[in-house]
Amino acid sequence: MALRKLVAGNWKMHGLSADLEEIRTIAEASRAYPTVDVALCVPAILIERAARAVPGFAIGGQDVHQAEKGAHTGCTSALMLLDSGASLTIVGHSERREAQRENDGEVKAKAESALGVGLTVILCVGESLEVRERGAAVATVIAQLDASIPHESTEEAELAVAYEPIWAIGTGKIPTVGEIAEMHSAIREQLVHRYGAAGNQVRILYGGSVKASNAGEIFSIADVNGALVGGASLKAADFIPIVAAAALV
Ligand code: PEP
């Protein structure tokens, strides 16, 4: 059976109280596409207000600390995200892997911590342009995936993997259909290798310059089970057509 598509927006460091109205518009418009799971991952400080503004709509975080609690100034635990009203979180986004130097082991611990409290996890992997150009993209991403994904996937545990080529994020460049197909198929194979049949239930999202004009083609690729959307998720006018494209496949 085909997996339900998941279209998640990553608002990054965007979003003030004034933007709650846009979140309401997105949540309301998403209801026209009940076959698609739609979510917005907003700054941690906005989660509680966003979740209150749109009851029943999935609001998520963009990162989580792996520890339950403790001396970790400025960090947010999985339980804190849940307590604020989040139902999911991104982990291992390339911007954090680069700027905060997060490694695969930390990303894995973050994913396990979030799954442990019942949050859905969107775990990001992806190669740099240099790696793509020297023909090592698949091997690099699979090694990254293998080192970052949790030990076990249980039925309760909701894990999604987002393939986000770093060179495609915010650049307007996207891989070819063949390149996306090759990577998603390799990720699926690795998930089945790790989790057995349960690996077929893990959604694999594509992320990197997804917009209304390319979403339909991307969603029609085998093993593309949704998208992680940055810039085009900030406005309902840009984001909802992507959700609509997911509903058509
Ligand atoms: C992202 O940062 O997760 C992302 C996919 O960004 P964009 O859609 O803007 O390329």
Side-chain angles (χ1 to χ4, degrees), residues 10 12 90 93-95 124 164 168-172 206-210 228-233:
N10 174 12
K12 309 193 184 188
I90 296 169
H93 192 282
S94 59
E95 286 158 12
C124 302
E164 298 207 308
I169 294 178
T171 60
Y206 168 77
S209 296
V210 175
L228 183 56
V229 184
S233 70

Side-chain angles (χ1 to χ4, degrees), residues 2 6-7 54 58 78 167 175 186 188 226 228 231 245:
L6 168 61
V7 178
V54 289
W167 50 274
R188 174 68 65 213
L228 183 56

Side-chain angles (χ1 to χ4, degrees), residues 46-129:
L46 198 63
I47 291 173
E48 182 159 5
R49 278 170 290 160
R52 282 188 200 280
V54 289
F57 179 83
I59 295 293
Q62 302 170 2
D63 176 48
V64 65
H65 195 278
Q66 57 270 37
E68 224 173 276
K69 57 172 119 170
H72 304 287
T73 305
C75 299
T76 309
S77 74
L79 212 48
M80 289 171 184
L81 287 184
L82 191 71
D83 191 48
S84 305
S87 57
L88 73 152
T89 187
I90 296 169
V91 298
H93 192 282
S94 59
E95 286 158 12
R96 293 198 60 85
R97 287 180 184 263
E98 276 180 13
Q100 272 72 37
R101 297 179 195 282
E102 289 182 6
N103 62 36
D104 291 336
E106 282 165 327
V107 172
K108 179 179 172 185
K110 285 167 185 259
E112 288 176 347
S113 166
L115 290 169
V117 302
L119 292 169
T120 291
V121 165
I122 299 177
L123 191 157
C124 302
V125 292
E127 82 284 0
S128 65
L129 188 57

Side-chain angles (χ1 to χ4, degrees), residues 98-189:
E98 276 180 13
Q100 272 72 37
R101 297 179 195 282
E102 289 182 6
N103 62 36
D104 291 336
E106 282 165 327
V107 172
K108 179 179 172 185
K110 285 167 185 259
E112 288 176 347
S113 166
L115 290 169
V117 302
L119 292 169
T120 291
V121 165
I122 299 177
L123 191 157
C124 302
V125 292
E127 82 284 0
S128 65
L129 188 57
E130 184 270 315
V131 167
R132 165 72 52 190
E133 285 177 345
R134 71 177 149 83
V138 172
T140 301
V141 167
I142 295 308
Q144 199 182 29
L145 178 75
D146 206 34
S148 311
I149 55 174
H151 265 313
E152 286 175 30
S153 160
T154 68
E155 270 180 346
E156 298 77 39
E158 264 280 352
L159 175 68
V161 171
Y163 166 54
E164 298 207 308
I166 298 167
W167 50 274
I169 294 178
T171 60
K173 294 181 196 155
I174 57 166
T176 64
V177 166
E179 286 168 340
I180 297 176
E182 179 189 38
M183 188 64 81
H184 279 239
S185 152
I187 291 173
R188 174 68 65 213
E189 206 177 293

